[in-house]
Amino acid sequence: MVILQLWFRKNAIILIACILAVSFMGCGSGGSGGSGSDSTNASTPVSNPNPGPPDPGPSGTGDNPPADPPATSSSAGGIPVDGHPNWEERTLLVVTNMVRIDPEGYLARYTNFSGILLPHNYPAVGPLYWNQALNEAARYHAEDMAENNCFQHNSCDGTVWSQRIRSFYPAAASLWENIAAGTPGPVETLNLLLCEGSPPCVADFSPEDGHRRNIMAAGARELGTGYALDPAATYRHYWVQDFAGNPPSETPPLVAGSHLLVDGALMFYLNYDAPSGDPPQSVAVDLGGTMIPMDLELGVGASGTFATVAATPSGCRSYHFEAIDASGELWRYPGSGELRTYGVGGCSEDYTP
């Protein structure tokens, strides 16, 4: 089934198309110019009969931690691998988890939407962990759409979208996909997908509610996001979310973290999820050698997003996140190296080893 919706806003065309299939689930969105958007959705989960057993991950706890424990590596997406993820991709992962962890809280703080993500329809679900193969698949598709000026789930050469993802991630047990274009930043992109276009947003579980379903899918466990920019392409900015249902190979409590400019303020966000179900003793961002405590912004202590604000710098600043879990173990994100304040104060660097 294909559902098309068309809006006009500020000389921008906003088009949303949803395709509901039988074996996979995916959606997309995009638009003309910085505020425009187009979106397409293909939905239906499918299972791989032989996904293989997941690798065991670190527990993140210790019965007898030392008085001054060493930082434990927490590398799930924090340390770029061959440039994956970039700042846009990592930040889209973070804000996606912000919604999943606390849908009502996110809507209240970061949108003007109402009447969607109602608790009885979309209760809070666990955060998604970064997966390199999904990141590579999503980036490949974003770059393909930007370079070849197409906007669709299938590759521009006609390769079926699920086949494309499985060429990067053969063991994927279930797959979902969202695509978007025309929005310049991660928050704008996520909000477009949640609303299914311009407000008023479509109702929960309506036929047009496909992207929101993917974002809040309880069966999704991993996420790879893709971003590409081409000033010569129709929509300039191209975004992809590729979800999978495989158990992550590692589940450190520090899931993902990044920075954002929010109303001109430099904000730092960290998704935290404790296997023990206990809140951390402390969470902080080390910004240029200064530890800044972080407070719970969304969700609950054991599964929430922590945030803090800092003065907007001129030039690049280095930072990483640290947390001491309930057992006293110290965790770090990224596991090594430093994130950089990309996009703020003229900074064009995302990470330094």
Side-chain angles (χ1 to χ4, degrees):
M1 179 170 58
V2 178
I3 302 155
L4 293 175
Q5 299 176 327
L6 181 66
W7 293 274
F8 294 88
R9 182 187 66 190
K10 296 180 181 177
N11 300 319
I13 299 176
I14 302 175
L15 173 67
I16 289 189
C18 289
I19 304 171
L20 304 180
V22 183
S23 57
F24 286 90
M25 190 170 193
C27 289
S29 120
S32 170
S35 62
S37 62
D38 265 348
S39 84
T40 312
N41 167 28
S43 18
T44 47
V46 68
S47 293
N48 183 343
N50 297 298
D55 295 328
S59 68
T61 61
D63 295 332
N64 298 294
D68 186 17
T72 301
S73 228
S74 177
S75 61
I79 303 173
V81 179
D82 296 328
H84 298 77
N86 57 32
W87 174 82
E88 289 88 354
E89 293 161 352
R90 187 176 64 253
T91 306
L92 183 56
L93 168 62
V94 171
V95 295
T96 299
N97 282 336
M98 289 167 66
V99 174
R100 287 174 62 89
I101 287 169
D102 188 351
E104 286 186 289
Y106 180 89
L107 287 188
R109 289 171 173 80
Y110 299 100
T111 78
N112 58 359
F113 305 156
S114 61
I116 65 169
L117 289 172
L118 301 177
H120 58 279
N121 295 330
Y122 289 114
V125 290
L128 302 170
Y129 280 85
W130 175 82
N131 177 277
Q132 181 182 350
L134 291 174
N135 191 170
E136 292 174 353
R139 172 87 65 85
Y140 179 89
H141 190 43
E143 291 178 342
D144 182 30
M145 291 191 291
E147 293 170 4
N148 293 291
N149 206 22
C150 79
F151 183 75
Q152 58 194 44
H153 281 286
N154 292 340
S155 299
C156 298
D157 67 2
T159 301
V160 175
W161 69 275
S162 56
Q163 294 177 354
R164 180 190 65 247
I165 298 173
R166 287 186 184 278
S167 71
F168 289 90
Y169 195 12
S174 302
L175 291 173
W176 301 256
E177 181 175 86
N178 287 346
I179 61 174
T183 43
V187 174
E188 299 97 321
T189 300
L190 187 73
N191 290 351
L192 173 71
L193 294 168
L194 289 173
C195 189
E196 302 288 353
S198 299
C201 303
V202 305
D204 290 346
F205 298 158
S206 64
E208 299 86 358
D209 174 20
H211 307 88
R212 195 182 308 152
R213 272 184 240 186
N214 288 356
I215 290 167
M216 295 300 298
R221 301 288 305 280
E222 300 177 311
L223 177 63
T225 51
Y227 171 75
L229 169 65
D230 188 337
T234 300
Y235 302 124
R236 293 174 54 87
H237 306 274
Y238 291 79
W239 303 82
V240 179
Q241 292 176 310
D242 284 337
F243 307 81
N246 300 54
S249 60
E250 297 180 358
T251 55
L254 276 61
V255 181
S258 193
H259 68 276
L260 274 166
L261 278 177
V262 179
D263 296 329
L266 177 59
M267 300 290 299
F268 294 89
Y269 296 95
L270 178 70
N271 306 136
Y272 185 91
D273 190 65
S276 67
D278 298 314
Q281 297 182 27
S282 65
V283 179
V285 59
D286 182 325
L287 178 60
T290 300
M291 297 296 291
I292 304 174
M294 302 180 72
D295 297 319
L296 184 65
E297 172 83 353
L298 297 169
V300 296
S303 184
T305 297
F306 290 79
T308 193
V309 63
T312 303
S314 58
C316 293
R317 298 288 300 279
S318 296
Y319 70 94
H320 67 267
F321 299 95
E322 294 186 8
I324 299 176
D325 67 18
S327 71
E329 187 166 359
L330 176 62
W331 294 85
R332 188 189 199 276
Y333 181 98
S336 64
E338 297 287 323
L339 301 175
R340 301 281 273 170
T341 51
Y342 175 89
V344 179
C347 181
S348 60
E349 301 172 11
D350 175 54
Y351 172 83
T352 184

